Amino acid sequence: MTIRKILTEPNKILREKSLRVENVNKDIQQLMGDMLETLYDAPGIGLAAIQVGVAKRVIVMDINRSRNDIGRDKEDINKKEDRESKKPMYFVNPEIIWKSEDKFSYEEGCLSLPNQFAEIDRPKQCHVKYLDYNGHPQELRADGLLATCIQHEIDHLEGILFIDYLSKLKKEMIIKKLSKQTKDNIERIVV
Ligand code: ZN
């Protein structure tokens, strides 16, 4: 498994619509393995393939990683008890077939929008149809954080980022900040 580079906004690849996977073969499983390793290396609970530059409808998640885990260093995270607490989830061609009227508000972040957070309202529950790691059809009724995370990741497959739900002004401010961060990073590398 390989850690892949996570693309960050502004990057027009993140706005591409991902394509359906025809066959959950070894290549797709390899991609899922790499994505999971990339996710565990980063401070996140979900990752869509487009975030590593692959326009395929593939998502990996592990909402079992608490915020505490995320702040700890890698040595700690790799301890046995932490490995056992990992609960990876794989979704291929996920489709939301039902959403609740009730809303749930959560302060979302995104690995493609480093250090940016905003309170986003989404349906509190949703029902999802998808293929699992082995290509078998599955269904899942999700609630709360799990439902938020699935909806956030499925948005990525449509080229949508959580900042698209904010006012134009707030969204532009965030993009401006991120453009500056990227520029600063480049300057650092050059120096
Ligand atoms: Zn995201």
Side-chain angles (χ1 to χ4, degrees):
M1 290 195 287
T2 318
I3 294 170
R4 303 208 189 184
K5 188 179 178 292
I6 299 174
L7 305 179
T8 56
E9 176 83 346
N11 185 318
K12 55 182 192 306
I13 294 172
L14 290 170
R15 299 311 193 160
E16 278 179 25
K17 201 173 158 165
S18 296
L19 302 171
R20 282 181 75 80
V21 172
E22 293 304 326
N23 186 5
V24 184
N25 55 23
K26 285 267 175 294
D27 289 346
I28 295 294
Q29 288 176 337
Q30 169 83 43
L31 171 67
M32 290 192 274
D34 286 358
M35 285 169 62
L36 196 70
E37 184 144 335
T38 307
L39 179 67
Y40 286 145
D41 183 62
I45 55 173
L47 187 70
I50 195 68
Q51 293 179 274
V52 293
V54 179
K56 290 197 164 91
R57 303 185 83 82
V58 175
I59 290 167
V60 299
M61 280 173 32
D62 190 340
I63 66 158
N64 217 37
R65 296 183 90 192
S66 66
R67 282 180 180 261
N68 292 343
D69 267 353
I70 288 168
R72 286 154 63 194
D73 62 39
K74 262 180 235 166
E75 225 171 282
D76 277 350
I77 288 172
N78 287 331
K79 272 191 201 157
K80 193 165 170 279
E81 64 264 37
D82 290 309
R83 275 204 309 273
E84 283 170 355
S85 70
K86 283 179 181 171
K87 292 226 167 54
M89 300 176 89
Y90 306 93
F91 299 87
V92 178
N93 299 338
E95 259 178 79
I96 293 176
I97 52 176
W98 174 83
K99 286 177 186 180
S100 68
E101 295 287 325
D102 287 6
K103 302 283 188 228
F104 176 72
S105 179
Y106 186 75
E107 191 181 47
E108 295 187 24
C110 179
L111 294 173
S112 293
L113 299 159
N115 305 317
Q116 307 305 313
F117 300 92
E119 206 62 49
I120 306 289
D121 276 350
R122 299 186 188 263
K124 186 174 182 292
Q125 288 142 347
C126 64
H127 198 101
V128 193
K129 221 172 70 171
Y130 62 100
L131 301 176
D132 65 16
Y133 185 84
N134 296 306
H136 299 141
Q138 303 286 352
E139 285 189 25
L140 176 73
R141 174 69 67 102
D143 189 13
L145 176 59
L146 179 61
T148 290
C149 192
I150 289 174
Q151 293 173 72
H152 174 121
E153 300 310 329
I154 291 179
D155 273 355
H156 276 299
L157 306 182
E158 299 300 321
I160 298 167
L161 299 172
F162 79 75
I163 52 171
D164 299 349
Y165 297 105
L166 303 175
S167 68
K168 198 168 169 245
L169 186 72
K170 257 192 188 164
K171 180 177 162 177
E172 278 169 5
M173 256 168 56
I174 289 178
I175 294 176
K176 210 171 144 189
K177 255 194 243 166
L178 290 168
S179 311
K180 200 169 167 287
Q181 272 181 22
T182 311
K183 206 173 135 245
D184 287 348
N185 288 342
I186 291 166
E187 279 168 6
R188 248 175 257 150
I189 292 162
V190 171
V191 170

